[in-house]
Amino acid sequence: QGATMSNALLLIDRVYRLKGLTPDAGYLHKANAAAAYFKTFVKQNGSAYVWNYGGAVPQSGVDTEDTNHGHLDMSLVVWARKFGLGGITDTDMNSLAGTVQKIFNGAAGPNDVSLIVDGTGLPASNWDRVSVGYDWIELADYDPTIFDKTVKEFNTYMTIPEGSRFYLG
């Protein structure tokens, strides 16, 4: 969840620059380091990436990242790629698009979202589904079918008010 704080620092840096001001150099440095940190624990899984919820902490006892919390990492990584930070490349982004494909084509079946980023597990509620509508959807820039699958998932599960209000945020 540190990715959220790092993403905020990156965006604060950008706002300062857009206003013609000089931001504290630490903002960009920390965001860059956090994005680079992601690359220290992500692992290739076929055409996709997987990673542990506990990051690079050895033997953290935490299993593979869940889709819902994984969106926090996606937010930072997507912005880091846009601004050339952390060594994030198009190859990384394509592997993350592959992760979304595993999420959409995994245990939960078509038009649904698998609980875990490796495509295993079933969602317990819409809280396990909602994050593909924000952050994960940004990977449609690397695989346009992600957008179509996200819309199908929305139409199948998220049209009730408690899901639709924040979906596609």
Side-chain angles (χ1 to χ4, degrees), residues 71-150:
H71 88 87
L72 300 171
D73 301 314
M74 286 309 89
S75 180
L76 173 61
V77 171
V78 165
W79 282 102
R81 178 66 192 123
K82 287 179 183 180
F83 293 109
L85 299 177
I88 305 295
T89 66
D90 282 346
T91 300
D92 295 315
M93 302 309 285
N94 285 320
S95 290
L96 289 166
T99 300
V100 179
Q101 292 296 349
K102 285 193 179 284
I103 290 167
F104 277 126
N105 298 314
N111 301 333
D112 204 351
V113 174
S114 297
L115 183 66
I116 307 297
V117 298
D118 65 2
T120 62
L122 302 176
S125 72
N126 280 351
W127 287 109
D128 293 331
R129 294 179 176 104
V130 70
S131 65
V132 295
Y134 50 88
D135 298 329
W136 289 105
I137 196 172
E138 299 295 331
L139 295 167
D141 289 344
Y142 298 89
D143 181 349
T145 67
I146 291 169
F147 180 82
D148 297 331
K149 290 179 180 185
T150 303

Side-chain angles (χ1 to χ4, degrees), residues 3-133:
T4 299
M5 296 303 293
S6 300
N7 197 37
L9 293 173
L10 169 60
L11 296 175
I12 291 168
D13 177 88
R14 294 295 122 185
V15 168
Y16 268 87
R17 292 176 192 277
L18 288 170
K19 289 182 172 185
L21 302 172
T22 303
D24 182 314
Y27 297 156
L28 197 57
H29 172 76
K30 290 174 184 175
N32 183 59
Y37 174 68
F38 180 76
K39 290 188 72 163
T40 68
F41 60 85
V42 70
K43 293 181 175 68
Q44 199 72 45
N45 180 25
S47 63
Y49 276 159
V50 295
W51 60 99
N52 288 340
Y53 180 86
V57 178
Q59 300 162 343
S60 66
V62 180
D63 293 330
T64 305
E65 181 70 272
D66 59 277
T67 301
N68 191 17
H69 285 106
H71 88 87
L72 300 171
D73 301 314
M74 286 309 89
S75 180
L76 173 61
V77 171
V78 165
W79 282 102
R81 178 66 192 123
K82 287 179 183 180
F83 293 109
L85 299 177
I88 305 295
T89 66
D90 282 346
T91 300
D92 295 315
M93 302 309 285
N94 285 320
S95 290
L96 289 166
T99 300
V100 179
Q101 292 296 349
K102 285 193 179 284
I103 290 167
F104 277 126
N105 298 314
N111 301 333
D112 204 351
V113 174
S114 297
L115 183 66
I116 307 297
V117 298
D118 65 2
T120 62
L122 302 176
S125 72
N126 280 351
W127 287 109
D128 293 331
R129 294 179 176 104
V130 70
S131 65
V132 295

